[in-house]
Amino acid sequence: MTIKVGLASDHRGVHIKARLLQTLQREGFEVCDQGTDSTDPVDYPDFAIRVAEQIRDGKLDRGILICGTGIGMAIVANKFHGVRAASCYDEVIVEMSRRHNDVNVLCLPGDLIGERPVDELVLMWLRTDFECGRHTQRVDKITAIDSIDTPDINRGV
Ligand SMILES: O=C(CO)[C@H](O)[C@H](O)COP(=O)(O)O
């Protein structure tokens, strides 16, 4: 089954996004490019929302969001039910985000990733499976938080 990937960035991630779009299409992923398309300044929430909504609604399997640090994109995306977003930029963290946390939205720091092999990093993230096992109950507890209005940390959801 083809994996559907949503891709979006703000002005600080637009060049990496363009590069990833080509790489992911070449590798056979179905990619949905949600902008932005120029280096004109934009507000990252407007673009994170486009991808996060589609993850929440089951229209996309994974998302990749790029801003200067990846942090703003992750904050916005994590507001959406079913989204587990993290800002990552090295191989170990990227791999663990999949294996232990089942992260479904990878947020990349466009300003910091520099000459790192971003294509390889993203392909590895897309191809790394969640380990399940003991991590399943933990991720289930995160999912349970989605269904309550006011999380109560003492209640042990
Ligand atoms: O990293 C970001 C959010 O986490 C943004 O890319 C960054 O804040 C944009 O800043 P500027 O308006 O100075 O280009």
Side-chain angles (χ1 to χ4, degrees), residues 33-78:
D33 182 0
Q34 298 286 329
T36 188
D37 298 318
S38 82
T39 53
D40 295 343
V42 292
D43 298 331
Y44 59 83
D46 298 336
F47 294 88
I49 285 168
R50 294 180 186 183
V51 169
E53 277 182 336
Q54 292 190 72
I55 297 279
R56 177 198 62 196
D57 296 344
K59 294 178 181 164
L60 293 171
D61 302 306
R62 302 279 191 90
I64 298 165
L65 300 172
I66 312 142
C67 61
T69 61
I71 295 171
M73 290 293 199
I75 291 171
V76 176
N78 278 317

Side-chain angles (χ1 to χ4, degrees), residues 10 57 90:
D10 73 357
D57 296 344
D90 85 6

Side-chain angles (χ1 to χ4, degrees), residues 61-113:
D61 302 306
R62 302 279 191 90
I64 298 165
L65 300 172
I66 312 142
C67 61
T69 61
I71 295 171
M73 290 293 199
I75 291 171
V76 176
N78 278 317
K79 303 274 181 206
F80 288 77
H81 289 189
V83 170
R84 290 177 298 280
S87 177
C88 308
Y89 66 94
D90 85 6
E91 293 76 4
V92 174
I93 301 293
V94 165
E95 184 180 349
M96 295 306 281
S97 80
R98 286 293 311 140
R99 288 174 50 191
H100 282 204
N101 310 109
D102 201 13
V103 159
N104 53 11
V105 176
L106 177 65
C107 301
L108 296 169
D111 286 350
L112 309 175
I113 210 151

